[in-house]
Amino acid sequence: MAAPNTNNGTLDEAWSLALADQRDEALKRCIALLEADPMQLGAAALAVQLIARAEGFDRDALEATAARLVDAYVRRSDLPAATAIAALASDAGADAGPQRKTIAKAFGKGSARLADVSPAPPPLPVPAPVEGTLAKLEGAALIARAEAALATMRAAEDSAPESGKVSQLPLFSALRPEALERLLAGFTLRDLATGALAITQGDEGREAFVVVRGALRAERRASEESAQPEVLAVLGPGAIFGEMALVSEAPRAASVVALEPVQLLVASRDVLEKLAQKEAAIGSELALFCRHRMMANLLRHGAILAAVAPAQRDDLVARFASRDFATGDVLVKEGEESEGLFLIASGHVRVTSTDADGDRILLADLGPGDVVGEIGLVLRRPATATVTATTPTIALHLSRDQFHDAIRAHPTLLSELYELATKREEETRSVVAQQALDVEDVVLV
């Protein structure tokens, strides 16, 4: 990546230089920002990261700076940034245990500081171009000036209250401090330059991510031939993404690309599985968190759940049971009575039918948010198609008994499913009929 040749004195500029391996220039910009405003926490955090990679840095001073930054980020209810600092300290050989304990004590279950509050906004950036003697510094002299700027930061007064309220966060605040401390220790750091991919649609996923700084775009292509991807969301600090990789072998359903220099906390499935073996609460809370996120995604994109009034959706969702399917497993078999309705949560399935000559016909490829098995339930007839998992798939299953209870409790669900079932049946007939015509044309020619 080409480094910026500007001197606008911004943190993004410093990050771009750092990611282009121009560490001295990046550190100079951090120093300039800190000398203009000692409480520019983002500049201090990047300076710590850069100094830790240099030779001859003061380890005690770095550890003290990390502790000060963790305290400042906790005061501002920024768990991801505080955790990133602890990870940096650990990577530099410092003891990050006390820092993680501070974070876990504030954000863990039972903390008196937890409340329904939003994180404090970061301070307004104060552009500080690199000027004068700072522009010429290098080596030990540059490190010394950076450590002096960080010492000033450590001594500066913090306007945020020392024991103020912090945000009650999904997953993290559901864990007792001891378990949360172990979870935080499982995260590693990853930095991405503008345009870099955090995850790629179709790839196998084995990691989940928390955004520390920067912004990313989640996007999905309907097919490889699609000219433009569909933008699903823009993700900023504190956002969690990729978590379905922790509970499913399904390929990534979307890509996530960095819109600017980004720092991420990364949790691998292997590390989390080992943590869950030692701390059962981590495994159970992760599974619960992933299910809640999965359901929230289905509520946003699934027409079936959206047909029910928001206040009644929790009751409907509680009637579904999660089912896992390996590649090649059959969810619905043509000609047989459906055992229930399936709502695809992750992964993909293929819908096929058999024509009069016994040939298989592709009807559709379906993914998250789509429903299968509704024809047999609603129209009370054998399934008109076979549905097979083409990737590892998680589906929410509504059994026949639960279906009848559900439509009694939620009558609007039946009308939505009836419309879908009749439309699907007509589409199946049309595709089979067209296939027969195409074959007849070939024979005639």
Side-chain angles (χ1 to χ4, degrees):
M1 172 184 171
N5 55 10
T6 58
N7 185 18
N8 297 323
T10 65
L11 185 57
D12 276 351
E13 185 179 79
W15 265 100
S16 294
L17 286 162
L19 289 167
D21 209 27
Q22 295 194 26
R23 298 175 186 173
D24 282 2
E25 291 304 314
L27 187 55
K28 290 174 186 179
R29 280 155 178 79
C30 292
I31 294 169
L33 287 164
L34 286 168
E35 290 179 345
D37 177 8
M39 291 306 292
Q40 285 287 328
L41 302 181
L46 180 55
V48 168
Q49 185 168 338
L50 293 167
I51 289 173
R53 297 173 181 171
E55 293 183 3
F57 67 89
D58 185 333
R59 194 178 304 278
D60 291 339
L62 185 143
E63 190 168 330
T65 301
R68 179 71 170 84
L69 281 170
V70 166
D71 174 71
Y73 280 126
V74 168
R75 292 185 189 211
R76 288 159 179 78
S77 199
D78 194 340
L79 179 146
T83 303
I85 295 298
L88 286 173
S90 180
D91 290 345
D95 180 11
Q99 296 158 24
R100 294 192 181 104
K101 192 177 295 293
T102 295
I103 302 168
K105 182 179 178 182
F107 289 94
K109 185 177 181 179
S111 170
R113 297 180 65 178
L114 291 176
D116 186 15
V117 296
S118 299
L124 293 174
V126 179
V130 176
E131 298 173 334
T133 58
L134 176 59
K136 301 177 182 179
L137 289 180
E138 59 184 23
L142 180 61
I143 297 298
R145 183 144 171 187
E147 290 178 336
L150 291 172
T152 302
M153 184 277 297
R154 293 197 301 271
E157 183 178 354
D158 195 336
S159 60
E162 182 177 1
S163 300
K165 298 298 184 182
V166 299
S167 302
Q168 185 160 326
L169 302 173
L171 176 60
F172 300 106
S173 297
L175 294 169
R176 291 286 180 185
E178 298 79 9
L180 177 55
E181 189 177 343
R182 293 188 181 95
L183 175 62
L184 298 180
F187 283 102
T188 59
L189 284 175
R190 185 173 301 166
D191 301 332
L192 298 178
T194 303
L197 285 165
I199 60 177
T200 302
Q201 183 176 344
D203 283 359
E204 179 187 3
R206 297 193 64 83
E207 297 172 325
F209 306 87
V210 184
V211 182
V212 177
R213 67 94 57 199
L216 306 97
R217 181 178 64 240
E219 57 189 32
R220 180 169 57 211
R221 292 185 181 275
S223 66
E224 294 182 0
E225 294 76 25
S226 300
Q228 292 294 331
E230 174 191 3
V231 176
L232 304 177
V234 174
L235 308 169
I240 299 174
F241 66 94
E243 72 282 354
M244 285 307 296
L246 305 179
V247 295
S248 171
E249 299 283 349
R252 297 291 193 184
S255 295
V256 177
V257 60
L259 299 176
E260 59 190 25
V262 165
Q263 186 171 66
L264 302 170
L265 294 173
V266 184
S268 73
R269 183 193 298 177
D270 293 341
V271 168
L272 291 175
E273 285 177 349
K274 290 178 182 177
L275 285 173
Q277 290 174 359
K278 298 177 181 178
E279 186 71 54
I282 292 177
S284 59
E285 290 298 337
L286 271 172
L288 186 61
F289 171 77
C290 290
R291 177 178 170 82
H292 285 167
R293 294 269 294 193
M294 181 173 66
M295 296 310 305
N297 183 59
L298 290 174
L299 287 172
R300 285 196 303 271
H301 302 293
I304 297 304
L305 296 179
V308 176
Q312 300 175 345
R313 288 175 187 168
D314 285 346
D315 174 75
L316 176 58
V317 166
R319 300 174 186 273
F320 284 85
S322 181
R323 296 269 301 271
D324 292 350
F325 296 93
T327 302
D329 284 353
V330 174
L331 287 72
V332 178
K333 189 169 184 179
E334 183 177 2
E336 295 186 359
E337 183 179 284
S338 175
E339 63 177 272
L341 175 149
F342 294 93
L343 177 59
I344 308 302
S346 74
H348 293 84
V349 299
R350 175 158 293 175
V351 185
T352 58
S353 185
T354 307
D355 65 12
D357 295 325
D359 296 323
R360 302 302 295 174
I361 302 170
L362 173 63
L363 300 179
D365 287 312
L366 304 176
D370 289 321
V371 174
V372 296
E374 78 290 343
I375 291 179
L377 284 181
V378 176
L379 302 183
R380 298 186 178 183
R381 62 187 63 165
T384 58
T386 294
V387 181
T388 307
T390 54
T391 68
T393 296
I394 296 178
L396 299 182
H397 179 235
L398 188 66
S399 68
R400 183 176 292 274
D401 291 341
Q402 285 284 8
F403 170 75
H404 293 306
D405 292 340
I407 60 175
R408 280 193 290 269
H410 310 285
T412 54
L413 178 64
L414 179 59
S415 60
E416 181 73 25
L417 287 171
Y418 181 80
E419 182 178 344
L420 176 63
T422 53
K423 178 182 177 184
R424 284 261 182 88
E425 188 176 45
E426 181 59 33
E427 288 174 349
T428 300
R429 289 173 178 168
S430 297
V431 171
V432 172
Q434 184 62 48
Q435 185 80 4
L437 288 173
D438 291 344
V439 171
E440 186 65 21
D441 289 341
V442 172
V443 173
L444 289 172
V445 170

